[in-house]
Amino acid sequence: RLLLTRNRTAEGLGLPLPGGRVALFGQAGGRRILLGQGALDDRAVGEEVEIGVGPATGVLASLTSPSKHDTYLLTVTNDQSAPVRFEAELEVPQGRSLQPQGRLSRRNGRPLWTVTVPANGTATLRYRLGGG
């Protein structure tokens, strides 16, 4: 799990953030529960903030190559009773091109796959690496 935001007033921040440990809490049954813990580097106003808060229980990702033709399958399964949003920044080796089966966005200069995985369901991205 990754908590993503920007250090801007519109996102509820807008002050320099000092580095340190972070605890993420949620609500369940009217009580606060710990969702995860992570760490944060110093962040200036306007910067993106990404805090890894541990693995998502019940959500698993696997990468397989079913053929020898640089084709890959990124499969995400969700065994929870509610849909989950999943994001993966894809690493493309230097000198290669990414040819996805579908549209991807970009984050930090890298291809980004964003998908909602249905409750008790699966989502798959098929892509090929060209060049090289």
Side-chain angles (χ1 to χ4, degrees), residues 48 50 89-92 98 105-112:
E48 288 187 356
E50 295 182 1
E89 278 186 25
L90 303 173
E91 183 109 11
V92 180
L98 181 73
S105 57
R106 294 189 80 74
R107 180 189 297 143
N108 300 321
R110 290 186 175 164
L112 177 70

Side-chain angles (χ1 to χ4, degrees), residues 2 11 25 28-29 36 41 44 71 75 78 80 84 86 95 105 107 109 124 128:
L2 191 63
E11 274 82 12
F25 289 88
D41 293 331
T71 300
T75 304
N78 173 18
Q80 297 183 44
V84 296
F86 178 87
S105 57
R107 180 189 297 143
T124 302
R128 183 176 149 83

Side-chain angles (χ1 to χ4, degrees), residues 2-131:
L2 191 63
L3 173 64
L4 301 169
T5 190
R6 277 186 228 128
N7 187 2
R8 299 187 321 183
T9 304
E11 274 82 12
L13 299 173
L15 297 169
L17 297 173
R21 303 224 8 104
V22 176
L24 179 64
F25 289 88
Q27 290 277 335
R31 299 178 56 170
R32 280 177 42 147
I33 60 168
L34 179 66
L35 299 175
Q37 297 180 353
L40 173 70
D41 293 331
D42 291 343
R43 293 286 178 217
V45 174
E47 281 191 292
E48 288 187 356
V49 178
E50 295 182 1
I51 304 169
V53 291
T57 305
V59 178
L60 299 173
S62 65
L63 182 65
T64 58
S65 182
S67 69
K68 296 183 182 204
H69 302 288
D70 289 329
T71 300
Y72 297 88
L73 294 175
L74 176 54
T75 304
V76 182
T77 59
N78 173 18
D79 71 2
Q80 297 183 44
S81 60
V84 296
R85 178 184 160 123
F86 178 87
E87 293 184 346
E89 278 186 25
L90 303 173
E91 183 109 11
V92 180
Q94 191 170 3
R96 306 292 301 268
S97 63
L98 181 73
Q99 301 160 355
Q101 190 179 49
R103 293 188 54 87
L104 301 179
S105 57
R106 294 189 80 74
R107 180 189 297 143
N108 300 321
R110 290 186 175 164
L112 177 70
W113 181 45
T114 303
V115 64
T116 298
V117 185
N120 299 304
T122 301
T124 302
L125 171 68
R126 177 184 296 268
Y127 66 92
R128 183 176 149 83
L129 290 176

